[in-house]
């Protein structure tokens, strides 16, 4: 869930609005996105500005018509397909010298949590999957006068660590209705960078920004596979080099009347870089290639994602009622990243929020959103190597509800 801060200078006052942006399961630009990247604090005109915010997302995704491998249909054909989650963010921005601003922030851009359990027909595919991330970033900008406004060049670096686990059924006893569960634990980390440009005319609250965030190379994926059938019950594993996606986002805003602001954005995220992540035995590392079609015991399992690129388009209107209160509303559309495997479908979201400024240097925000995750079907899908994802489960989803609530505070000096 993303909180967009819309800023406009009207007269001598700062017009700051908080509103909820697009939200989909598990994210708002498909794939593994949750908080995404956000550098809006960098544009705050105060010499020093700090902010903290948190969003609680509640997706109500239901799996139905589930069928397991080779007609495995002894368990339930329905399951809950997503878990609620928090998205925190904290940042500090300061003017270093005239025209140069820098910001440091912590966020959780990526994540996913599904826990349909071991009592549905798709349990051989997924009992529980939980992926988390931490992102530590530093971003600076240099602005100077150009024409009626100011041109700003933006650059920065960020470090990410990614961790998670996946559990699935690896056997079944029809007499007991249960079976052993295997678990994969993984973690990885890497660096990325960003670059962008923005143009601002404060007198009419105009800003146009274009920012590129690079891929993050994960070439140190490692972890543990736990299963009762393994000697000692576990084995050291590693994954082939993967990349978290690069992205491009264009944001526009402008005053359209006294006290009124229009804004919008278009974002592309290169989720197609994540297809299937082969998980291989550490004992075979250096002896055989780790690919989706590597034979056992080289490839032990895989994390199948099979994404296509994500697109998010949003637009809205904000209004300043007085020096203390402002509000905004936004409509967003997100193109789902699933296309035959998985159920990250198109999502429509309506968000709204209010900002209260009891003192010129303090701003409190409260926002909410409601949306619809459209229907879809998950089946089998092949990658470029001929690997087929999805034979362990097929299922459908209907038009499901997603809601969210968010709060935040900004303090300026």
């Amino acid at each position: 869930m993303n909180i967009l801060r819309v800023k406009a200078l009207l007269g001598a006052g700062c017009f700051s609005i908080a509103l909820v942006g697009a939200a989909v399961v598990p994210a708002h630009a498909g794939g593994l996105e949750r908080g995404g990247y956000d550098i809006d604090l960098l544009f705050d005109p105060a010499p020093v500005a700090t902010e903290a915010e948190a969003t609680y997302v509640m997706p109500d995704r239901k799996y139905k018509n589930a069928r397991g491998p080779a007609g495995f249909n002894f368990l339930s054909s329905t399951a809950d397909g997503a878990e609620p989650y928090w998205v925190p963010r904290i940042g500090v921005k300061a003017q270093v010298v005239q025209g140069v601003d820098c910001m440091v922030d912590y966020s959780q851009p990526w994540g996913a949590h599904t826990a349909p359990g071991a009592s549905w027909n798709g349990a051989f595919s997924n009992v529980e999957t939980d992926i988390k991330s931490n992102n530590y970033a530093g971003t600076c900008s240099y602005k100077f006068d150009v024409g009626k406004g100011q041109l700003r060049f933006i650059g920065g670096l960020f470090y990410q660590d990614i961790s998670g686990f996946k559990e699935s059924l690896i056997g079944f006893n029809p007499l007991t209705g249960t079976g052993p569960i295997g678990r994969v634990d993984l973690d990885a980390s890497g660096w990325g960078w960003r670059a962008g440009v923005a143009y601002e005319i404060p007198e009419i609250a105009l800003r146009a920004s274009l920012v590129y965030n690079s891929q993050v190379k994960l070439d140190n994926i490692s972890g543990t596979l736990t299963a009762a059938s393994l000697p000692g019950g576990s084995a050291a594993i590693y994954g082939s080099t993967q990349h978290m996606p690069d992205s491009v986002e264009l944001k526009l805003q402008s005053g359209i009347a006294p006290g009124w602001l229009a804004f919008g954005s278009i974002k592309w995220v290169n989720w197609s870089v994540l297809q299937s992540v082969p998980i291989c035995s550490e004992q075979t590392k250096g002896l055989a290639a780790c690919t989706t079609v590597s034979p056992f015991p080289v490839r032990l399992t895989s994390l199948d994602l099979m994404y296509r690129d994500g697109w998010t388009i949003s637009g809205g209107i904000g209004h300043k009622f007085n020096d203390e209160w402002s509000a905004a509303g936004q409509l967003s559309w997100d193109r789902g990243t699933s296309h035959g495997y998985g159920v990250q479908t198109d999502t429509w979201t309506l968000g709204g929020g209010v900002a209260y400024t009891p003192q010129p240097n303090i701003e409190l925000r409260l926002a909410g959103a409601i949306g619809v995750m459209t229907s879809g079907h998950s089946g089998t899908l092949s990658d470029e190597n001929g690997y087929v994802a999805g034979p362990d489960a097929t299922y459908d989803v209907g038009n499901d509800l997603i809601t969210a609530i968010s709060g935040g505070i900004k303090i300026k000096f």
Side-chain angles (χ1 to χ4, degrees), residues 172-262:
F172 183 75
N173 186 338
L175 297 178
T176 62
T178 60
I181 293 175
R183 176 177 171 125
V184 173
D185 289 89
L186 294 172
D187 61 76
S189 60
W191 289 86
W193 56 272
R194 63 171 52 105
V197 63
Y199 185 70
E200 303 159 89
I201 303 179
E203 289 76 12
I204 59 173
L206 183 145
R207 183 198 304 152
S209 64
L210 181 66
V211 177
Y212 170 79
N213 296 284
S214 77
Q215 294 185 5
V216 176
K217 185 179 181 181
L218 305 177
D219 57 2
N220 58 351
I221 301 175
S222 62
T224 304
L225 173 64
T226 304
S229 58
L230 295 173
S234 65
I237 55 176
Y238 76 100
S240 64
T241 297
Q242 303 293 319
H243 294 82
M244 298 309 294
D246 49 341
S247 65
V248 178
E249 184 168 19
L250 172 66
K251 289 184 177 181
L252 301 170
Q253 71 170 60
S254 179
I256 54 176
W260 290 90
L261 189 76

Side-chain angles (χ1 to χ4, degrees), residues 367-409:
I370 186 169
V372 175
M373 302 173 287
T374 58
S375 60
H377 173 77
S378 179
T380 59
L381 188 65
S382 300
D383 69 7
E384 60 183 10
N385 296 320
Y387 170 74
V388 179
D392 291 336
T394 63
Y395 50 94
D396 301 316
V397 292
N399 295 314
D400 293 322
L401 184 70
I402 182 169
T403 56
I405 188 169
S406 177
I409 183 172

Side-chain angles (χ1 to χ4, degrees), residues 2 13 18 37 240 273 363 393 396:
N2 186 27
Y37 299 122
S240 64
V273 299
E363 179 182 280
D396 301 316

Side-chain angles (χ1 to χ4, degrees), residues 98-142:
Q98 185 65 35
V100 177
D101 297 289
C102 287
M103 177 188 78
V104 293
D105 70 287
Y106 165 79
S107 63
Q108 295 179 0
W110 322 124
H113 191 193
T114 61
S119 60
W120 74 303
N121 289 330
F124 280 94
S125 173
N126 183 29
V127 169
E128 182 174 6
T129 300
D130 192 4
I131 299 173
K132 298 179 180 180
S133 68
N134 295 291
N135 189 79
Y136 310 89
T139 307
C140 292
S141 70
Y142 172 64

Side-chain angles (χ1 to χ4, degrees), residues 1-169:
M1 174 69 59
N2 186 27
I3 307 292
L4 299 179
R5 287 155 303 282
V6 182
K7 308 166 187 71
L9 297 181
L10 299 179
C14 181
F15 178 26
S16 182
I17 298 174
L19 63 147
V20 174
V24 298
V25 176
H28 57 264
L32 301 174
E33 186 167 346
R34 279 190 173 171
Y37 299 122
D38 187 347
I39 63 168
D40 284 354
L41 181 63
L42 188 65
F43 295 94
D44 194 288
V48 178
T50 66
E51 68 176 0
E53 59 193 26
T55 303
Y56 187 62
V57 186
M58 296 161 281
D60 188 24
R61 197 50 136 172
K62 304 293 186 183
Y63 298 161
K64 57 185 181 180
N65 303 323
R67 299 179 64 86
F72 179 90
N73 295 299
F74 305 110
L75 303 176
S76 174
S77 63
T78 63
D80 290 333
E83 296 293 306
Y85 57 88
W86 284 96
V87 182
R89 183 178 181 278
I90 186 169
V92 179
K93 170 262 178 187
Q95 182 184 66
V96 181
V97 296
Q98 185 65 35
V100 177
D101 297 289
C102 287
M103 177 188 78
V104 293
D105 70 287
Y106 165 79
S107 63
Q108 295 179 0
W110 322 124
H113 191 193
T114 61
S119 60
W120 74 303
N121 289 330
F124 280 94
S125 173
N126 183 29
V127 169
E128 182 174 6
T129 300
D130 192 4
I131 299 173
K132 298 179 180 180
S133 68
N134 295 291
N135 189 79
Y136 310 89
T139 307
C140 292
S141 70
Y142 172 64
K143 63 181 179 180
F144 53 93
D145 294 337
V146 174
K148 295 181 180 181
Q150 296 175 323
L151 184 65
R152 185 190 298 255
F153 291 105
I154 302 166
L157 295 172
F158 47 89
Y159 173 80
Q160 290 178 9
D161 65 70
I162 314 292
S163 62
F165 70 86
K166 180 176 182 178
E167 295 180 342
S168 58
L169 207 64

